[in-house]
Structures are given as C-alpha cells and as structure tokens.
Amino acid sequence: MNYISIQNIDSLEKWVKEALKIKKKPLKNKTLGKNKTLGMLFFNSSLRTRLSTQKAALNLGMNIMVMNFTNEGWTLEFEDGAVMDSGASEHIKEAAAVVSQYCDIIAIRAFAGLIDREKDNAETVLSGFLKYATVPIINMESATGHPLQSLADAITMAEHTTAHRPKVVLTWAPHPKALPQAVANSFVEMMQLQEADFVITHPEGYELNREITKNSKIEYDQNKAFENADFIYAKNWSNYTDYGLITNSDPNWTVTTDKMKLTNNAKFMHCLPVRRNVIVMDEVLDSENSIVIEQATNRTYAVQLVLQKILESPPTPQGGTKTEKSKKIKK
Amino acid sequence: MNYISIQNIDSLEKWVKEALKIKKKPLKNKTLGKNKTLGMLFFNSSLRTRLSTQKAALNLGMNIMVMNFTNEGWTLEFEDGAVMDSGASEHIKEAAAVVSQYCDIIAIRAFAGLIDREKDNAETVLSGFLKYATVPIINMESATGHPLQSLADAITMAEHTTAHRPKVVLTWAPHPKALPQAVANSFVEMMQLQEADFVITHPEGYELNREITKNSKIEYDQNKAFENADFIYAKNWSNYTDYGLITNSDPNWTVTTDKMKLTNNAKFMHCLPVRRNVIVMDEVLDSENSIVIEQATNRTYAVQLVLQKILESPPTPQGGTKTEKSKKIKK
Amino acid sequence: MNYISIQNIDSLEKWVKEALKIKKKPLKNKTLGKNKTLGMLFFNSSLRTRLSTQKAALNLGMNIMVMNFTNEGWTLEFEDGAVMDSGASEHIKEAAAVVSQYCDIIAIRAFAGLIDREKDNAETVLSGFLKYATVPIINMESATGHPLQSLADAITMAEHTTAHRPKVVLTWAPHPKALPQAVANSFVEMMQLQEADFVITHPEGYELNREITKNSKIEYDQNKAFENADFIYAKNWSNYTDYGLITNSDPNWTVTTDKMKLTNNAKFMHCLPVRRNVIVMDEVLDSENSIVIEQATNRTYAVQLVLQKILESPPTPQGGTKTEKSKKIKK
C-alpha cells in the first residue's frame, strides 16, 4: 500500500474516524512499528511535515532516518536511457532500489519546479520512487499533490462539524512568490469525497487543472463565494494556464475581517506557512475562528494513520513486479 | 519551567550538586523522558551543544527531532503586524505554536547578528518562541546568553574546588572574527551567584553590558588580573559599545605560559571552539592545567539536569496564558 | 578496535561468514548496542553509507547522532602548531576529544581533496580523529580507502561463489568528474586477502598507488582482462600519477554487453552511485548478472559486523595513550 494521493483513501469518512481515534490515544500502537524504519527523503524545505511525520513514526515505535537529498546527497537522474555525463551522479533506478534496502517505508517530498507543466504533472521524482522502490511510498508533498495535508484538513473539519451540510470555500489569495498548486489540488480532491457545498473562488485565469477540479463549482466573485460559508480555506497558487507565473497579485483577494463577516461565522483554515497581511489579515488569523494550528496538530494523526495502515497491510512490493525491473531484489 | 538564562537557576550550589550526581549515574533516569520529544532548532552552527544535548536527552530516554532552520526550513518573521510580502515565509506566531504541537520541549540556538544591539538585546528569536510556544523552552545559546555553557562551567569548577575562596578571572583575548558576548555574559551572571574573587579583564573600551556585569570587578591590566588566580577563563567578544566591531586585536592579550605563571597554578578554561595560538598558546591548552575538555564533557550533565528538571516540573504553558494568544491551542 | 582499512580485518573469510550470519538474523543482537551512541560525522555527501550505517546501528539497538560537519559545524584545523587566525574555527585536537565525550564510536567520512597527493595520503581528517579521539573510529570512506564498501563487496562475492577459483577483474571506466582512488584501493587490498585470479585493468598511466597494488596483476588490454572473468568490478578513479586529473575519458573503456560476452557469464559489480551509459551501459546494469543492489544491501551487514566487533571488543582508548595527549581525559 502507498499513500500517493487522495485517491488512495478508500473511505474518507472511515479514515477520519480512525484518525480521531488515534488522536485520543496516540501511543496505543507504540509497538506496531518496532524494528521498522521510515526513511524520509527531502528534496525541499519542510517544517510541519518534517516534524509531524517524525512524531507520528515515534508514536508507532518506528526508527527514522531523515535525509536532505540536496545538501546531504546528490543530484538524481530520472530520464530512461540517459547518458549520465554531466550533472546527475545517480539514476533513480539505483537510488530508489538502494534506499529500499534500508527502509521499510519511504516518504518523499519533491515540489513542482513550476517551469515545465508537463514534467511537473509527470511527478518525476515521486513516480521514479514508485516505479523503482520495493517498499511502500508516502507522498510528503509532490509536484501536484499534498494528500497528508488534505487528510489533516478533513480531520480538522470533522472536529468542527456543523449541524447542516457545510459550505466549504477554497479561496485563492495573493502571494509574492510563485507557489505550486499541490495543496489546492489535494484539497479539491478531498472535498470531492465529502458531502458539502464546495466552492472554489479565484480570479479568472487562475483555474486549477480541470482534470482535478472536474465538476467542482467555481465562483469568480470572492464575496459571493464567502456568503454563508462554514469554512474558508485560503491558499495561493501560481497560474496553471500561464504555467508557474504570477499573473495576479490583487490585494483585494486577501482574506479580511470584513469578508469573514459575509460568512456563517466560518472557521478560517490554511495549511501554513502563511504570509500574514498578504494571504490573510492578522485579525482573522488571530481570531477565535482560526483553526490553522489545529490543522497543524492533525498533521501528526493524518500521517500516523497512513503509517499504521501501511504497517498493518500485507507487503506489496512496487518495482519488483514491473517488467522494467524483472530481476528480484534480495532483501 | 524554561531555561533561558542563568536567572532561571534557583540555587546554583544545589544544581551543581545534582548535576554531579547525574554524572555519576547518567542512566539512572532512563525512563523519565519516555515518549517525550525534544525538538532542537538550530539557526546557527553547533558541535558541542548539538551532540551533548542529544546525548543528555538519550540518557533520559527522550525522542529527539533536530532541525536546522536555515537550510531545512525557511526565514521567519518576528515583527508584529508585518506585511509579509518579501523574505520571510512564516511568522514566529505560527512557527512556535506549530512546533509546540510536535515537541514536549523546544531547545533553540540563535546567535546575535552583531549589527543592531537593540535587536540583539531584544532576543528576537528566543523571545518569540517564549511568547508563542506552548511548551518549555531551553536556550542553546541566544544573542546575549549561553546559560547551558555556564552551568557546565560551574560544574567543572566545582570538580576542581580549591580549599580557599577561589580567584576566578574572565579574560578577553583576541580573535579574527567578531563574536557575540553571549558566553561572557552568562559566565559573569553565573559567577555572580558564587562565592569567589571574580575579576573581568579586557582592554579599555571592551566593557560588556553593564546591566549584566553590575558590580563585578573590572581590571584593565591583564597581568594584574592574573595574579594568584585559580581559574583563568578566556573568551573573545566583540565590542559592545562600538557594537559588534573588532576595535582591538592586540596579541598581547593572548593567554601564554608566562601569564599563567602569574597565577596560583590556575586551571585554564574556554568554552570551545578555541583558536589555538590566537586566544591561547598551544603550551597552555595542552598543559595539565587545561580543563577545556572536561568543560565539554560537563555540557551533557548540565543540559541533562535542565531536561530532568523540566520533565519533572508541572506543565506551565507559555503562550497559552498570554493575552496575545487568548485562543486555546488543543494539543 | 578501529576499522580504518582492510588491514584491520584479521581473517576475511571469517568476517564474511559472520556477516552472512548477521544477514540471516539482523536483529539477533538487538540489545548489544543498548545505551551506546554512534556519532556519524560527514565531511562529504553520502547516501548508501549514511543510511546503511544508521540501519546497522539501529539493528544493534544503538543511539545515533548524525552530523554534517560542513553546514552544521565549521572548518577544522589539522596542522600542529597552527596560528588559527584565519579560516578554521576549531582544531582537530579539541574536536576529536570533544566528540569522544558524547559518542562511544565515531564514524567519519572525509574524501580526498585530489589536489595534494601527499596530503590525501596523510589522511588528514581520519588520522586526526584517530590520534585525538578516545573512542573507536570507523572509516566511512576516507581519502585513500573505503573498507566498508570492500567488505560488503567480499560478502556479495561470497554469495555468488563459483565452483572454481574465480577470476575477478577490477576495471577502470571513464567518468566526467575527477574521482578519488579510495574504492579501488580498498577493493585491491581486499582481493589480496582472497584466493582468486585477480586482475586490474586500466589505461596505461592510470596505475593506482603501487604501495597498494603491490604484486596484483595489471593488464592494460581490457578485453583480454575480461576473458573468462567471473566478476567484473567497474570503477572510475582519477589519475594517481598526474594526481587528481582526468587524463583519459576514452568511451571504449565503458562496460558494454559485448565486453561482458567475453567473460564467463560474469557478475557485474559497482559500488554506486554509477553513471549509466558512461561507466556501464544500461543493458549490463539492468541485466540479471548485475549485483550492484545486492552490494548496497550488504553494506548494512558489513558495517553491522564492524559495529558488533567494536561493541564486543575491550575498550582500547586511542589518543589517551599517545604522548601528544598525555593528560587523562575524564569521561
């Protein structure tokens, strides 16, 4: 079993319930991970994911090996048949197979480059590990998705459940740096598994990948979108059509107290890190209705659930069954 | 309970005795830290502190998560009300609250910038964590203090106790790089808690912060200061008045064998790393009287005592009680 | 006991047998390393060594502290009597003694600089730690040797033992970057402890240090060397005579399927990382005969054997007995 995208969740409702159980007794399965090793490979910076994933693994009694690939390792090659006579020192074929010899689960963070849309959509790093690793893989945010974040978001929303069918709004907000669509993508996919009045709001031209948003409602008028909302989830992403560019930085999209007044006393959510007074005003983020720290708390239980499911599932080697890798890897 | 400065020590004599007990049986409390996690956040390089703190936490059975903020995380914002439209990606308000969700104790290293004295004195990073974290904080060297070092120094001096009231000399020495006053400050504060003839010697103009040195005796004639000393503690610091500048690099201040001859067969101390033949001559550092490695050894027991005290003390959340953070953080 | 070079192996045959026993039951000695701490110091990048060494230590129940010296610590001085008024912040004398206070075993990776042959042959970093540390030292690849790799290679070859006396070929292959001779050196030294028809093949002028190759057979005709070989071990190294230079990048030395056809259905070996289609063609590396991943797997058992032997051997302090360090280090 892998946890690569929201699509790997068979029943979101069930998963959320299980995660909330773990949250009540996080050390209940303290021996489940005994003598099992989680390898955490970072191709990008990380705070919440880095710490919450370690915390979850520790709660399960696992060993942890953290590796920052960029400064502790070297550049990898992902192209099949490449003549490796320049930058990259090692091919993903070897790297993934080798790490699989030392780890029982591999967790990977590798952001979008935001230069080449096709390449980002191909999920070069994550797919490479999926293909050539022989142990389960966890996505700690890839080019196009951040399913651990969205699972934590689902848990957090469940803790603030409304009596009625909730209205949930994903709102774009301005940001000085070009950011990936990963968090927004996974949030959309997660919401598509929920009973809710779900609305995405963003400036025209900032549409996410339509293969992901599918029939999800899009409303270009942010104020209208906010009306009667129960949850406002703010997030910036760079332009998906003019790929990776910042084509809008309109401060009118910043989440303000006035805008929150349009809602049904909505909870404010963000995956963090958040740019204060750019994405959202201090007054909103510091208000009682902000649940961003709870989202961060739930990152631990989201990933602990995933680790637990993997540890409890029968081993299903990846690459070993692929024709590209017909030879058996002895382990 | 926090360990932010020497002021947090209620009885130095008692603490030193307790630390020496720990040194005799370092594994006696091997289960005290079970299922507790120490988060170590480094904004600067570290060797002794990095390893001795981990060692101490391991002796107590704690889990450890180490994070180098600068290359594994990102820049933090510390200004209240900042419009975060440039460098910093995350505000200390979120960062501190979030790390508190995953760690039971947070240890922080953040040196002085040596550019803006007021800002360094404000201890931006440490104060930020103190204000917004909800778990105990340990200072692993901040802009103005290094209380773990000075506690280790006190332990080391206690192991070399003299029959008479000892004469202890803190001597400035030259150094090619501008260094913070942190170690010197905490050493002075620690000595103020001891029965001793304590003398600070440095070139005129190199006075430390007078709010810290208070009535501690200052002697500008190094030779005179060394007379009959039982302990010579050498350390460079940059100018506090002409803030952060090197206004003196006089090699006559280097600690030599000749100068040591003026003492009462004094022990030589330094916090390390030490520039050989700049701060102190090889002959002194390699002599029987040098106890710098013992100081390093005692770093483990100093921080183990602090960790132990925190683990044994009733939880007293930080930020949670502050008005700036009125909302409850569920953990 | 230290593990610095292949010379530290008293009986290769016995060691290989013991390692294979460990491989069968890697957790058999799970409590041997209890409350013992392995310090891993990296002065260079590492993937396999980093992870396999941690894995082995975890299998023995050890604590691990990993430190990347270059970005987490600072520059060390190795020269005796140096006036440290420029780059280096700490002398190896202090650094090694201090790390010994916190670790029971120190493992070090420090590559050749490839600029100054004499300096590289002096093994500045490793020798410094050997001289001034007071705990056992493990070589995780130094300027002139990589004995953990070669021990893993020996284990891997033993798993593919031939009925007859095997023919083993170490072949140089081209590479775009100047690489150290360390892996080749240790492989040669390891082969000198084995019953085998051992041949080194490389372009004329690429001779390794003759003090290492001794009487080992050198064959400049790669095709001739490959004839009837049972094991082909490919590895690039830079010129040892024109020290550290790339004086040959002839693609005819790349290991191809055609060349492998000259062999006795030989196994293909490489220490990894390997430059595909430069050192060796995809067809060879992806063939059934390639055992490079098995070599990586056996890295764990090689280092676990070394750790086990050190943990089981009576403590023999290093520096403490040296005249240079006559004073006793209390621990």
Side-chain angles (χ1 to χ4, degrees):
Chain A
M1 179 195 155
N2 300 308
Y3 188 67
I4 297 306
S5 92
I6 291 294
Q7 314 305 334
N8 295 120
I9 301 175
D10 50 16
S11 158
L12 181 60
E13 201 188 336
K14 223 181 109 200
W15 282 43
V16 166
K17 269 187 196 154
E18 289 170 358
L20 288 170
K21 255 191 203 167
I22 290 172
K23 190 174 183 174
K24 267 184 202 144
K25 292 192 179 178
L27 298 175
K28 201 193 156 193
N29 284 298
K30 182 76 208 205
T31 56
L32 182 63
K34 207 185 160 193
N35 296 326
K36 300 285 178 185
T37 301
L38 172 67
M40 295 172 64
L41 306 185
F42 289 96
F43 292 84
N44 300 93
S45 290
S46 172
L47 169 60
R48 267 154 292 278
T49 300
R50 184 183 294 274
L51 299 183
S52 63
T53 305
Q54 286 184 68
K55 179 71 177 181
L58 290 167
N59 283 347
L60 292 166
M62 295 188 82
N63 299 322
I64 302 160
M65 304 199 290
V66 179
M67 181 162 174
N68 299 302
F69 238 84
T70 27
N71 73 313
E72 298 178 344
W74 39 69
T75 315
L76 296 185
E77 175 64 57
F78 294 92
E79 205 76 46
D80 249 16
V83 178
M84 292 170 59
D85 57 2
S86 51
S89 299
E90 181 150 32
H91 199 281
I92 180 67
K93 286 191 186 182
E94 277 71 54
V98 162
V99 176
S100 303
Q101 307 311 304
Y102 314 131
C103 301
D104 298 284
I105 302 174
I106 302 174
I108 299 158
R109 161 162 289 198
F111 289 172
L114 292 181
I115 310 273
D116 179 339
R117 191 167 93 170
E118 217 171 309
K119 205 180 146 194
D120 284 346
N121 280 342
E123 291 283 8
T124 325
V125 181
L126 192 66
S127 307
F129 275 94
L130 263 177
K131 195 166 173 184
Y132 297 112
T134 55
V135 298
I137 302 290
I138 295 176
N139 179 353
M140 296 197 295
E141 187 172 344
S142 66
T144 67
H146 194 356
L148 286 174
Q149 178 65 53
S150 306
L151 179 53
D153 296 338
I155 298 166
T156 311
M157 287 194 286
E159 294 184 302
H160 292 278
T161 186
T162 51
H164 57 278
R165 190 171 184 261
K167 180 175 179 184
V168 180
V169 178
L170 169 64
T171 182
W172 181 91
H175 195 282
K177 239 181 88 188
L179 295 187
Q181 294 86 21
V183 169
N185 287 344
S186 289
F187 188 77
V188 169
E189 291 182 304
M190 182 272 288
M191 284 311 303
Q192 288 167 352
L193 302 179
Q194 299 227 28
E195 268 307 306
D197 175 12
F198 178 52
V199 183
I200 309 171
T201 183
H202 54 67
E204 282 192 64
Y206 261 78
E207 284 75 17
L208 293 162
N209 185 348
R210 285 178 199 278
E211 289 177 31
I212 286 169
T213 53
K214 286 173 188 154
N215 297 323
S216 289
K217 191 177 164 187
I218 296 171
E219 168 60 65
Y220 297 121
D221 181 339
Q222 196 191 30
N223 283 346
K224 209 171 153 194
F226 272 45
E227 278 171 18
N228 289 313
D230 296 293
F231 295 95
I232 298 294
Y233 197 104
K235 182 75 189 84
N236 171 270
W237 58 86
S238 60
N239 201 307
Y240 184 72
T241 313
D242 289 342
Y243 192 67
L245 299 183
I246 298 178
T247 57
N248 191 323
S249 51
D250 185 353
N252 287 315
W253 281 82
T254 300
V255 179
T256 62
T257 304
D258 277 351
K259 282 180 198 163
M260 290 301 284
K261 280 181 186 157
L262 302 170
T263 70
N264 179 30
N265 194 28
K267 301 297 178 191
F268 177 80
M269 301 180 76
H270 190 281
C271 60
L272 305 182
V274 64
R275 300 259 179 163
R276 284 178 166 256
N277 303 310
V278 178
I279 292 280
V280 55
M281 299 307 289
D282 279 343
E283 300 78 49
V284 176
L285 200 58
D286 293 334
S287 74
E288 290 283 343
N289 281 28
S290 167
I291 55 176
V292 298
I293 303 299
E294 294 173 45
Q295 286 174 266
T297 309
N298 286 328
R299 291 294 307 274
T300 303
Y301 310 109
V303 66
Q304 189 167 337
L305 175 68
V306 168
L307 287 168
Q308 211 164 297
K309 281 185 178 291
I310 292 174
L311 289 169
E312 284 167 345
S313 70
T316 50
Q318 319 287 334
T321 60
K322 300 267 174 24
T323 40
E324 294 89 335
K325 202 177 179 188
S326 56
K327 84 189 138 112
K328 300 268 190 347
I329 303 297
K330 285 176 196 165
K331 214 193 139 180
Chain B
M1 176 192 160
N2 300 308
Y3 188 66
I4 297 307
S5 92
I6 292 295
Q7 314 306 333
N8 296 119
I9 300 175
D10 50 16
S11 159
L12 181 60
E13 201 189 336
K14 223 182 108 200
W15 281 42
V16 165
K17 270 187 196 154
E18 289 170 358
L20 288 170
K21 256 191 204 168
I22 291 172
K23 189 174 184 175
K24 268 183 201 144
K25 293 193 179 179
L27 298 175
K28 200 193 157 194
N29 284 297
K30 182 75 208 203
T31 57
L32 183 64
K34 205 185 161 193
N35 295 326
K36 300 284 178 185
T37 301
L38 172 67
M40 296 172 64
L41 307 186
F42 290 97
F43 292 85
N44 300 94
S45 290
S46 171
L47 169 61
R48 269 154 290 278
T49 300
R50 185 184 293 275
L51 299 184
S52 63
T53 306
Q54 286 184 68
K55 180 71 177 181
L58 291 167
N59 284 348
L60 293 167
M62 295 189 82
N63 299 322
I64 301 159
M65 305 199 291
V66 179
M67 181 162 174
N68 299 302
F69 238 83
T70 25
N71 74 312
E72 297 179 345
W74 38 71
T75 316
L76 295 185
E77 174 65 56
F78 294 92
E79 204 76 46
D80 249 15
V83 178
M84 292 170 60
D85 56 3
S86 52
S89 300
E90 181 150 30
H91 199 280
I92 180 66
K93 285 190 186 183
E94 277 71 52
V98 161
V99 176
S100 303
Q101 306 311 303
Y102 314 131
C103 301
D104 298 285
I105 301 175
I106 303 173
I108 298 158
R109 163 161 287 198
F111 289 173
L114 291 180
I115 309 272
D116 179 340
R117 190 167 95 171
E118 215 171 312
K119 205 180 146 192
D120 284 346
N121 281 342
E123 290 283 10
T124 324
V125 181
L126 193 66
S127 307
F129 275 95
L130 263 177
K131 195 167 172 183
Y132 298 112
T134 54
V135 299
I137 301 290
I138 295 176
N139 179 353
M140 294 196 297
E141 188 173 343
S142 66
T144 68
H146 194 357
L148 286 175
Q149 178 64 53
S150 306
L151 179 53
D153 297 338
I155 297 166
T156 312
M157 288 195 286
E159 293 183 302
H160 292 277
T161 187
T162 52
H164 56 280
R165 189 171 184 264
K167 180 175 179 184
V168 179
V169 178
L170 169 64
T171 181
W172 180 91
H175 195 281
K177 238 182 88 188
L179 295 187
Q181 295 87 20
V183 169
N185 286 343
S186 289
F187 188 77
V188 169
E189 291 182 304
M190 182 272 287
M191 284 311 303
Q192 288 166 352
L193 302 179
Q194 298 227 30
E195 267 308 306
D197 175 13
F198 178 53
V199 182
I200 310 171
T201 182
H202 54 68
E204 283 193 64
Y206 262 77
E207 283 76 15
L208 292 163
N209 184 348
R210 287 180 198 276
E211 289 177 32
I212 287 168
T213 53
K214 286 173 188 154
N215 297 323
S216 289
K217 190 176 165 187
I218 296 172
E219 168 59 66
Y220 297 120
D221 181 338
Q222 196 191 29
N223 284 346
K224 209 170 155 197
F226 272 45
E227 277 171 19
N228 289 314
D230 297 291
F231 294 96
I232 298 294
Y233 198 104
K235 182 74 189 86
N236 171 270
W237 58 86
S238 59
N239 202 306
Y240 184 73
T241 313
D242 288 342
Y243 191 67
L245 299 182
I246 299 176
T247 59
N248 191 323
S249 51
D250 185 354
N252 288 317
W253 280 83
T254 300
V255 179
T256 62
T257 304
D258 278 352
K259 282 182 197 161
M260 289 302 283
K261 281 181 186 156
L262 301 170
T263 70
N264 179 29
N265 194 27
K267 302 295 179 193
F268 176 81
M269 301 180 76
H270 190 281
C271 61
L272 305 182
V274 65
R275 299 260 180 165
R276 282 176 167 259
N277 303 311
V278 178
I279 292 280
V280 55
M281 299 308 288
D282 280 343
E283 300 77 48
V284 177
L285 200 58
D286 294 334
S287 76
E288 291 282 344
N289 281 28
S290 167
I291 55 175
V292 298
I293 302 299
E294 295 173 45
Q295 286 174 266
T297 309
N298 287 327
R299 291 294 307 274
T300 303
Y301 310 109
V303 66
Q304 188 167 337
L305 175 68
V306 168
L307 286 169
Q308 211 163 298
K309 282 187 176 289
I310 292 174
L311 289 170
E312 283 167 346
S313 70
T316 49
Q318 318 287 333
T321 60
K322 299 267 173 21
T323 39
E324 294 90 337
K325 202 178 179 188
S326 56
K327 84 191 138 111
K328 299 268 192 342
I329 303 293
K330 285 174 195 166
K331 215 190 141 183
Chain C
M1 177 194 160
N2 300 308
Y3 188 67
I4 298 306
S5 93
I6 291 294
Q7 315 304 336
N8 296 120
I9 300 175
D10 50 17
S11 159
L12 181 61
E13 201 188 338
K14 222 181 109 203
W15 282 43
V16 165
K17 269 187 196 154
E18 288 170 359
L20 287 171
K21 255 191 204 166
I22 291 172
K23 189 174 184 175
K24 268 184 201 143
K25 291 192 180 179
L27 298 176
K28 200 194 156 193
N29 284 297
K30 182 74 209 206
T31 57
L32 183 63
K34 208 186 159 190
N35 296 325
K36 300 285 179 185
T37 301
L38 172 67
M40 295 172 65
L41 306 186
F42 289 97
F43 291 85
N44 299 94
S45 290
S46 171
L47 169 60
R48 267 153 293 277
T49 300
R50 184 184 294 275
L51 298 184
S52 64
T53 305
Q54 287 184 67
K55 179 72 179 181
L58 290 167
N59 283 347
L60 293 166
M62 295 189 81
N63 299 322
I64 302 159
M65 303 199 291
V66 179
M67 183 163 172
N68 300 303
F69 238 83
T70 26
N71 74 312
E72 297 178 345
W74 37 71
T75 315
L76 295 184
E77 175 64 57
F78 293 92
E79 205 75 46
D80 249 15
V83 179
M84 293 169 60
D85 56 3
S86 50
S89 300
E90 181 149 30
H91 199 282
I92 180 67
K93 286 191 186 182
E94 277 71 53
V98 162
V99 176
S100 303
Q101 307 311 305
Y102 314 131
C103 301
D104 299 284
I105 301 174
I106 302 174
I108 297 158
R109 162 161 288 198
F111 289 171
L114 293 180
I115 309 273
D116 179 340
R117 189 166 95 170
E118 216 171 310
K119 204 179 147 194
D120 284 345
N121 280 342
E123 291 283 10
T124 325
V125 181
L126 192 65
S127 306
F129 275 94
L130 263 176
K131 195 168 174 183
Y132 298 113
T134 55
V135 299
I137 301 290
I138 295 176
N139 180 353
M140 296 197 295
E141 187 173 342
S142 67
T144 68
H146 194 357
L148 286 175
Q149 178 65 53
S150 305
L151 179 53
D153 296 338
I155 298 166
T156 312
M157 287 194 287
E159 294 183 301
H160 292 277
T161 187
T162 51
H164 56 279
R165 188 171 184 264
K167 179 173 180 186
V168 179
V169 178
L170 169 63
T171 182
W172 181 91
H175 195 283
K177 240 182 87 188
L179 294 188
Q181 294 87 20
V183 169
N185 287 342
S186 289
F187 188 78
V188 169
E189 291 182 304
M190 182 273 288
M191 284 312 303
Q192 288 166 351
L193 302 179
Q194 299 227 30
E195 267 307 307
D197 176 11
F198 178 53
V199 182
I200 309 172
T201 182
H202 54 68
E204 282 193 64
Y206 262 77
E207 283 75 16
L208 292 162
N209 185 348
R210 286 177 199 277
E211 290 177 32
I212 286 169
T213 53
K214 286 173 187 151
N215 297 325
S216 289
K217 189 176 166 189
I218 295 171
E219 168 58 66
Y220 297 121
D221 181 339
Q222 195 191 29
N223 283 347
K224 209 172 154 194
F226 272 45
E227 277 171 20
N228 289 314
D230 297 292
F231 294 95
I232 298 294
Y233 197 103
K235 182 75 189 85
N236 170 272
W237 57 87
S238 58
N239 202 306
Y240 184 73
T241 313
D242 288 342
Y243 191 67
L245 299 182
I246 298 177
T247 58
N248 190 325
S249 51
D250 185 354
N252 288 316
W253 281 83
T254 300
V255 179
T256 61
T257 304
D258 277 352
K259 284 182 196 160
M260 290 302 283
K261 281 180 187 158
L262 302 170
T263 70
N264 179 28
N265 194 26
K267 300 296 177 194
F268 176 81
M269 300 180 76
H270 189 282
C271 61
L272 305 184
V274 64
R275 300 259 179 166
R276 283 177 166 257
N277 303 310
V278 178
I279 293 280
V280 55
M281 298 309 287
D282 280 342
E283 299 77 48
V284 176
L285 200 58
D286 294 333
S287 75
E288 290 284 344
N289 281 28
S290 167
I291 56 175
V292 298
I293 302 299
E294 294 173 46
Q295 287 174 265
T297 309
N298 287 329
R299 292 292 309 274
T300 303
Y301 310 109
V303 66
Q304 188 167 337
L305 175 69
V306 168
L307 287 169
Q308 211 164 296
K309 282 186 176 290
I310 292 174
L311 289 170
E312 282 167 345
S313 71
T316 50
Q318 318 288 332
T321 60
K322 300 268 173 20
T323 40
E324 294 89 337
K325 203 179 176 186
S326 56
K327 84 191 138 111
K328 300 263 190 351
I329 302 294
K330 286 173 196 167
K331 210 188 145 184

